[in-house]
């Protein structure tokens, strides 16, 4: 429901800056929070056309930020229905997402901070060049691709682990010249470690990747079985983890561990599954469900990732305790059953399971994420910020699982129920039409020849 003036009365507002819960009235005008006053005092004059919601002491948190997704239009509204009002798209195609990226502030889809296609090295983890990836092995192509992505509207550049070290350095140098940051996924890296990437100037480390290779130089995802067996996967070497993490902290690396990715794969057929109405809608997405089921039937391809879950969690906790910036991300729809929107709630649960407090877990998907993105207008509930909020039935600071107890969502000042948003999920016919339009547009560009 879209209104230019809203008043939320009697709200328990969770201030993610201080960690306090403040009983408040909130005034929202034209999509922004314009006034916050104590609910113990009169709010003063309110415009006669204001729509008033009495929240009856329900809890209000900032709209959640998923810092690692791979977005598609067919499940974009499901993120918002889950309380995720902003996503960081870590590899895809700007052209494919153009309509969502340019949508109004109050649209039923998340705000998108996006990379364009991932830059990898030949032969490419995801195969030949496509709208979503490019394999590069020469300096000229590396510089040209970074320039093209920036001109296309990429917010940052994403590199993959098969990109050679020299090429990765060139990508970082070119991105820096164009005032763009670089993100790395080193899960399958053959030669680049986490510390080497950090010293190149790569700000974002996805999946806490490359750290295990720092600790065990002979290990890669492609290593022989006998090398894998030399590592005690159940008992991480904390001393070595801390040594590596200190270097990353010194280089101000932002760590997005995506614990839920590793955890779901480790759980395999006992994967985490939230009993929420959103899941019924998600089951209608045949492409996603088939994608995950196909993976789960091929356990050999997943075991090498799932076995790393204990290390991944140990790294995450160590990095947080050393004062490094840690943000929450789900990697939807990678691996198995990384459910759009809902997987971020599981990520928050995992933060608490490894020892963070509820407020610190919540911060990884709100203020800490916003600060890492250099966005002062989201991630907090303060006067002057965008009115992205989630109204909850129960207190998430008592139990982080309560972030799933959603009463309604406010996106850019527009109020939505979960049902409203689930009704916005495109039909299969519309999805097919959008894909065809994008692919025709793609074939008319110079992507394919680059």
């Amino acid at each position: 429901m879209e209104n230019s003036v809203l008043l939320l009365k009697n709200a328990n507002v969770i201030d993610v800056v201080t960690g306090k819960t403040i009983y408040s009235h909130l005034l929202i005008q034209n999509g922004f929070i314009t006034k916050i006053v104590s609910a113990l005092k009169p709010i003063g004059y309110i415009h006669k056309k204001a729509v008033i919601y009495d929240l009856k002491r329900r809890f209000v948190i900032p709209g959640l930020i998923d810092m690692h997704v791979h977005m598609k239009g067919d499940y974009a509204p499901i993120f918002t229905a889950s309380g995720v009002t902003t996503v960081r798209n870590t590899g895809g195609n700007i052209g494919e997402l153009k309509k969502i990226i340019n949508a109004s502030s109050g649209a039923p889809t998340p705000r998108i901070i996006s990379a364009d296609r991932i830059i990898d090295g030949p032969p490419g983890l995801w195969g030949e060049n496509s709208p979503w990836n490019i394999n590069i092995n020469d300096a000229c192509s590396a510089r040209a691709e970074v320039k093209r992505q920036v001109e296309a509207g990429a917010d940052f550049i994403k590199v993959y682990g098969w990109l050679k070290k020299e090429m990765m350095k060139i990508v970082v140098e070119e991105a820096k010249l164009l005032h763009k940051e670089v993100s790395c996924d080193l899960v399958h890296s053959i030669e680049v470690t986490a510390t080497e990437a950090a010293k190149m100037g790569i700000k974002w480390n996805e999946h806490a990747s490359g750290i295990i290779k720092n600790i065990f130089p002979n290990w890669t995802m492609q290593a022989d079985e006998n090398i894998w067996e030399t590592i005690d996967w159940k008992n991480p070497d904390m001393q070595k983890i801390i040594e590596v993490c200190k270097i990353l902290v010194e280089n101000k690396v932002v760590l997005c561990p995506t614990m839920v990715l590793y955890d779901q794969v480790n759980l395999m057929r006992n994967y985490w599954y939230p009993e929420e109405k959103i899941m019924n809608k998600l089951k209608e997405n045949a492409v996603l469900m088939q994608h995950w089921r196909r993976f789960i039937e091929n356990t050999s391809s997943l075991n090498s990732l799932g076995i790393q879950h204990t290390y991944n969690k140990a790294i995450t906790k160590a990095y947080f305790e050393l004062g490094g910036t840690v943000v929450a991300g789900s990697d939807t729809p990678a691996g198995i059953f990384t459910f759009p929107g809902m997987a971020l709630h599981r990520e928050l649960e995992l933060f608490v399971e490894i020892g963070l407090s509820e407020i610190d877990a919540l911060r990884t998907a709100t203020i800490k994420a916003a600060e890492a993105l250099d966005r002062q207008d989201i991630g907090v509930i303060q006067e002057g910020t965008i009115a992205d909020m989630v109204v909850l039935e129960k207190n998430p600071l008592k139990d982080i699982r309560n972030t799933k107890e959603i009463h309604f969502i406010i996106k850019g000042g527009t109020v939505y129920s979960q049902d409203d948003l689930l009704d916005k999920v495109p039909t299969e016919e519309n999805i097919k039409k959008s894909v065809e339009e994008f692919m025709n547009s793609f074939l008319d560009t110079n992507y394919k020849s680059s």
Side-chain angles (χ1 to χ4, degrees):
M1 179 179 175
E2 187 171 359
N3 296 287
S4 58
V5 185
L6 300 173
L7 174 61
L8 307 182
K9 292 175 58 179
N10 305 315
N12 284 321
V13 177
I14 294 178
D15 183 346
V16 293
V17 178
T18 64
K20 295 179 180 179
T21 301
I22 306 169
Y23 185 42
S24 307
H25 301 314
L26 296 95
L27 184 65
I28 298 168
Q29 295 176 285
N30 299 318
F32 289 86
I33 302 169
T34 56
K35 194 172 185 179
I36 304 175
V37 299
S38 169
L40 301 175
K41 299 177 182 178
I43 194 169
Y45 173 75
I46 299 297
H47 194 283
K48 63 182 179 181
K49 290 187 178 180
V51 176
I52 300 173
Y53 292 86
D54 187 347
L55 298 189
K56 300 177 181 178
R57 289 190 175 269
R58 290 184 174 93
F59 294 84
V60 183
I61 61 173
L64 299 173
I65 305 171
D66 190 328
M67 293 290 278
H68 190 123
V69 308
H70 298 281
M71 177 62 76
K72 297 289 184 183
D74 52 335
Y75 47 79
I78 296 178
F79 277 99
T80 320
S82 305
V84 178
T85 54
T86 299
V87 299
R88 179 170 164 267
N89 188 53
T90 53
N93 190 287
I94 295 290
E96 184 180 21
L97 300 172
K98 194 173 182 179
K99 288 181 181 178
I100 304 176
I101 290 171
N102 295 331
S104 67
S105 181
T109 49
R111 303 175 197 290
I112 299 181
I113 292 99
S114 188
D116 199 61
R117 59 181 177 175
I118 58 174
I119 301 177
D120 202 2
L125 186 67
W126 300 110
E128 296 180 358
N129 294 355
S130 77
W132 305 281
N133 68 292
I134 182 170
N135 305 316
I136 284 174
N137 202 27
D138 68 275
C140 184
S141 297
R143 293 191 179 95
E145 177 62 15
V146 173
K147 288 178 182 176
R148 187 203 63 75
Q149 291 193 14
V150 173
E151 289 171 1
D155 296 301
F156 62 100
I157 308 298
K158 172 77 174 293
V159 295
Y160 248 45
W162 286 7
L163 189 64
K164 288 191 176 297
K165 192 181 298 184
E166 314 87 72
M167 295 300 103
M168 200 173 287
K169 288 178 180 177
I170 290 168
V171 167
V172 174
E173 289 167 3
E174 192 65 32
K176 186 176 181 180
L177 288 173
L178 298 172
H179 310 290
K180 296 295 178 183
E181 296 167 346
V182 179
S183 153
C184 66
D185 175 344
L186 304 174
V187 171
H188 293 273
S189 179
I190 298 168
E191 59 180 53
V192 181
T193 66
T195 57
E196 288 172 328
K199 290 174 182 178
M200 285 180 201
I202 294 178
K203 174 180 175 178
W204 302 87
N205 182 298
E206 314 297 335
H207 316 300
S209 59
I211 296 175
I212 296 176
K213 183 164 178 57
N214 265 117
I215 298 169
F216 304 104
N218 293 328
W219 173 86
T220 66
M221 288 286 278
Q222 301 81 24
D224 292 337
E225 188 175 331
N226 62 326
I227 294 177
W228 281 82
E229 290 175 352
T230 62
I231 300 173
D232 185 351
W233 294 101
K234 293 182 180 180
N235 296 290
D237 188 327
M238 293 309 303
Q239 183 178 344
K240 290 184 178 179
I241 285 174
I242 290 169
E243 288 172 5
V244 175
C245 285
K246 281 182 177 178
I247 296 171
L248 302 188
V249 172
E250 288 168 5
N251 284 273
K252 298 181 180 178
V253 170
V254 178
L255 193 76
C256 186
T258 62
M259 290 180 289
V260 64
L261 167 69
Y262 293 86
D263 198 63
Q264 288 288 74
V265 170
N266 176 63
L267 293 171
M268 203 64 73
R269 287 179 174 81
N270 295 315
Y271 57 87
W272 174 84
Y273 183 92
E275 295 294 341
E276 304 287 338
K277 68 167 68 176
I278 286 173
M279 302 307 295
N280 294 327
K281 189 68 178 181
L282 194 55
K283 287 176 184 176
E284 296 175 11
N285 191 315
V287 174
L288 265 185
M289 299 308 292
Q290 288 170 10
H291 164 74
W292 288 324
R293 286 176 182 137
R294 189 164 55 246
F295 267 94
I296 208 169
E297 293 305 321
N298 185 16
T299 56
S300 60
S301 67
L302 295 173
N303 288 337
S304 59
L305 193 64
I307 199 173
Q308 299 176 48
H309 80 103
T310 304
Y311 255 93
N312 178 262
K313 291 169 185 173
I315 290 165
T316 302
K317 185 177 182 183
Y319 203 68
F320 175 82
E321 291 178 344
L322 287 168
T325 299
V326 181
V327 295
S330 65
D331 203 14
T332 297
I336 57 170
F337 302 108
T338 47
F339 309 112
M342 298 311 295
L344 187 69
H345 294 274
R346 176 58 177 161
E347 185 76 357
L348 298 184
E349 291 177 18
L350 289 169
F351 274 117
V352 173
E353 286 182 17
I354 67 170
L356 274 67
S357 66
E358 271 78 4
I359 186 61
D360 280 327
L362 189 58
R363 285 169 175 151
T364 67
T366 55
I367 187 170
K368 290 298 182 183
E371 288 175 348
L373 293 167
D374 196 24
R375 291 287 298 262
Q376 292 78 41
D377 56 347
I378 58 175
V380 291
I381 298 175
Q382 294 177 349
E383 292 180 0
T385 60
I386 296 172
D388 286 357
M389 292 176 275
V390 189
V391 179
L392 303 174
E393 297 287 357
K394 298 177 183 178
N395 187 356
L397 301 189
K398 286 191 174 180
D399 187 336
I400 197 64
R401 292 174 295 181
N402 289 337
T403 57
K404 300 193 298 296
E405 300 290 329
I406 296 173
H407 183 63
F408 61 72
I409 302 100
I410 301 175
K411 165 86 186 321
T414 302
V415 178
Y416 294 102
S417 69
Q418 286 187 307
D419 288 336
D420 292 335
L421 292 162
L422 294 177
D423 285 343
K424 302 290 185 182
V425 174
T427 63
E428 192 172 329
E429 183 180 348
N430 285 338
I431 293 166
K432 185 178 180 182
K433 182 180 177 182
S434 294
V435 171
E436 288 175 354
E437 288 175 355
F438 165 66
M439 290 305 295
N440 288 335
S441 173
F442 171 79
L443 292 172
D444 288 338
T445 69
N446 62 356
Y447 283 101
K448 201 167 185 181
S449 60
S450 63

